[in-house]
Amino acid sequence: AFCLYYYVSNKILFLYPQNFKNFMIKSVIKGYGYYVPENVVTNDDLSKLMTTNDEWITERTGIKERRHRKNRNDSEETTAVFAKRASEKALEKAGLTAKDIDFIVFATLSPDYYFPGSGVLLQDLLGCDTIGALDVRNQCSGFVYAMSVADAFIKSGTYKNILVVGAEIHSFGLDFSDEGRGVSVIFGDGAGAVILSATEDENEEGILAINLHSEGKYAEELAVKFGGTKYGWSDRLLTEPEAVTKDMLYPLMNGNFVFKHAVTRFPESLMEALNKAGKKPEDLDMFIPHQANLRISQFVQQKMGLPDDKVYNNIQKYGNTTAASIPIALCEALDEGKVKKGDLVCLTAFGSGFTWGSVLFKY
Ligand code: UT7
């Protein structure tokens, strides 16, 4: 029996050596960085533009201030430029240069152009070789989806160092009148990046579990409808501008509905990731939820029975920066020493689509 086992295992190893090697490859975060514009917009600043107040915004969302690019229509300060600033910090932290990057995954709902995506612009701005650049369109879950793509490429042995970015500029496309106040007070600008790298270390460090989900029947519960094949294109704006209404042009959100789904999906996805990795909620050192609303994060924390020091929130300072919110929060948690080597961390997001998912890793 032993001879047969020895013969078969050697035969398999001989025929498929790459499978055995790749089985050992894991993705680890080698570097991280973020960028937020200097321009701080407080709740009081917003109350000068629309009928709102600090009390309402703080009580319903936890947000005290957010960052907006200085000039709302500044064509120099674009999403790709924000991403470049975050990426340069991540490269420095990783001790790598742009030439070491094999692939870019760029998550954003606010690209520089309708097409091409911002990934190629980042490739150019950083001076990377002619590597592939993939754009991910999964809104608030964009960074989690982007990490999953990068992780799969690394585990398959295709790439070694992948730049994963979430970057957003919301301030150029929000309705700052009373009609838009339910949405425009929430969102902010910023960018965050990580370098995901291959390792064959046998310790537990690296990405342990991922899950991704969607429920497209709720697409219009949180969407920008215009600029697509359903509601119209530039042509419509030019030929029948009266048919293009404000609720097509600006983000539209059924806030209560989104809230209810979010507080169910966040814990579900977090538990799914923990179960897959054979871990329990008490094993978690840090939970970094997408910064949608402080009330959502607190609700999830309570449901999961997590103590305050195991949930990271910075929405108070930046608002909801959609695809950028998780990487910015991760960077701050690392810089503040709240995530340390060997910690078990879960990144969980929920947002427009609806889409949701988690990435569980050991730092
Ligand atoms: O990023 C991922 C996806 N997004 C989310 O997860 C967001 C989920 N939803 C939410 O966070 C909350 O639903 C909001 C913060 C957006 C809204 O909070 P809410 O408690 O659901 O408020 P509401 O929409 O039910 O509005 C309550 C009232 C309304 O007035 P009436 O009709 O009761 O007289 C609104 O007109 O508050 C009014 N209101 C405001 N008042 C002052 C809405 N926006 C504002 C505002 N300032 N900015």
Side-chain angles (χ1 to χ4, degrees):
F2 175 76
C3 288
L4 184 66
Y5 165 76
Y6 188 76
Y7 172 76
V8 171
S9 52
N10 270 313
K11 194 87 181 163
I12 294 171
L13 197 64
F14 176 74
L15 288 173
Y16 309 106
Q18 72 281 17
N19 289 3
F20 281 81
K21 187 164 175 279
N22 295 345
F23 187 68
M24 316 275 291
I25 302 177
K26 284 182 301 178
S27 320
V28 290
I29 294 174
K30 202 163 178 182
Y32 60 90
Y34 75 100
Y35 169 79
V36 287
E38 279 174 20
N39 182 28
V40 176
V41 178
T42 64
N43 294 342
D44 287 340
D45 292 334
L46 290 179
S47 71
K48 289 171 195 138
L49 302 173
M50 62 186 90
T51 315
T52 191
N53 54 72
D54 178 50
E55 199 189 343
W56 191 96
I57 302 172
T58 307
E59 195 178 300
R60 308 276 175 142
T61 71
I63 301 166
K64 297 301 283 182
E65 57 190 44
R66 70 286 295 141
R67 305 296 178 97
H68 285 174
R69 70 175 175 183
K70 189 95 192 138
N71 175 352
R72 259 189 242 159
N73 293 311
D74 185 344
S75 59
E76 300 298 317
E77 292 281 300
T78 67
T79 309
V81 171
F82 278 24
K84 176 187 182 241
R85 292 175 187 152
S87 303
E88 281 173 341
K89 289 183 192 160
L91 284 168
E92 197 186 324
K93 204 97 181 173
L96 298 174
T97 71
K99 300 283 178 204
D100 298 315
I101 298 299
D102 306 313
F103 195 66
I104 293 172
V105 191
F106 196 127
T108 186
L109 62 72
S110 51
D112 299 40
Y113 307 120
Y114 186 81
F115 72 82
S118 294
V120 297
L121 306 178
L122 183 60
Q123 174 272 329
D124 180 48
L125 285 171
L126 285 174
C128 297
D129 291 332
T130 55
I131 55 170
L134 176 76
D135 282 63
V136 166
R137 293 196 52 177
N138 289 83
Q139 302 66 248
C140 300
S141 314
F143 191 76
V144 163
Y145 270 75
M147 288 279 274
S148 79
V149 173
D151 181 53
F153 271 129
I154 285 173
K155 284 193 176 134
S156 70
T158 310
Y159 298 122
K160 280 199 164 58
N161 295 308
I162 302 184
L163 173 60
V164 187
V165 189
E168 305 284 8
I169 296 183
H170 283 290
S171 56
F172 86 109
L174 295 171
D175 178 3
F176 289 104
S177 76
D178 280 8
E179 282 171 276
R181 66 182 179 165
V183 172
S184 55
V185 299
I186 295 173
F187 294 101
D189 303 344
V194 301
I195 313 284
L196 214 58
S197 297
T199 179
E200 290 180 47
D201 274 2
E202 286 187 18
N203 60 27
E204 224 195 349
E205 186 185 305
I207 292 183
L208 306 176
I210 290 179
N211 62 74
L212 304 172
H213 296 278
S214 71
E215 202 168 22
K217 68 179 169 191
Y218 298 130
E220 290 200 4
E221 302 296 338
L222 175 48
V224 173
K225 296 177 183 170
F226 197 74
T229 52
K230 182 161 181 177
Y231 288 95
W233 192 251
S234 338
D235 175 43
R236 189 166 187 199
L237 201 53
L238 294 171
T239 55
E240 46 167 345
E242 65 293 342
V244 181
T245 51
K246 245 184 164 188
D247 67 342
M248 291 183 197
L249 289 169
Y250 290 117
L252 212 65
M253 176 165 71
N254 183 352
N256 283 293
F257 190 82
V258 177
F259 196 104
K260 281 182 197 140
H261 282 257
V263 294
T264 306
R265 297 310 192 183
F266 268 105
E268 254 179 36
S269 175
L270 170 56
M271 274 316 295
E272 187 183 337
L274 289 169
N275 287 337
K276 195 170 173 193
K279 306 281 183 193
K280 298 190 190 71
E282 52 269 32
D283 297 328
L284 207 57
D285 294 298
M286 187 57 80
F287 174 51
I288 304 184
H290 158 57
Q291 304 291 294
N293 179 325
L294 190 60
R295 304 291 159 249
I296 294 177
S297 300
Q298 288 168 336
F299 198 96
V300 177
Q301 177 182 344
Q302 203 184 19
K303 205 162 169 180
M304 297 295 300
L306 299 170
D308 286 352
D309 62 346
K310 289 192 173 183
V311 181
Y312 194 82
N313 290 301
N314 63 2
I315 191 170
Q316 301 90 332
K317 295 188 290 179
Y318 305 126
N320 176 343
T321 58
T322 54
S325 93
I326 285 184
I328 295 174
L330 174 63
C331 289
E332 286 205 334
L334 285 161
D335 285 342
E336 292 165 14
K338 290 181 177 159
V339 169
K340 297 175 284 301
K341 271 271 164 254
D343 279 358
L344 184 68
V345 181
C346 195
L347 315 175
T348 303
F350 175 88
S352 160
F354 291 155
T355 56
W356 64 99
S358 292
V359 176
L360 181 75
F361 64 96
K362 243 197 173 157
Y363 183 64

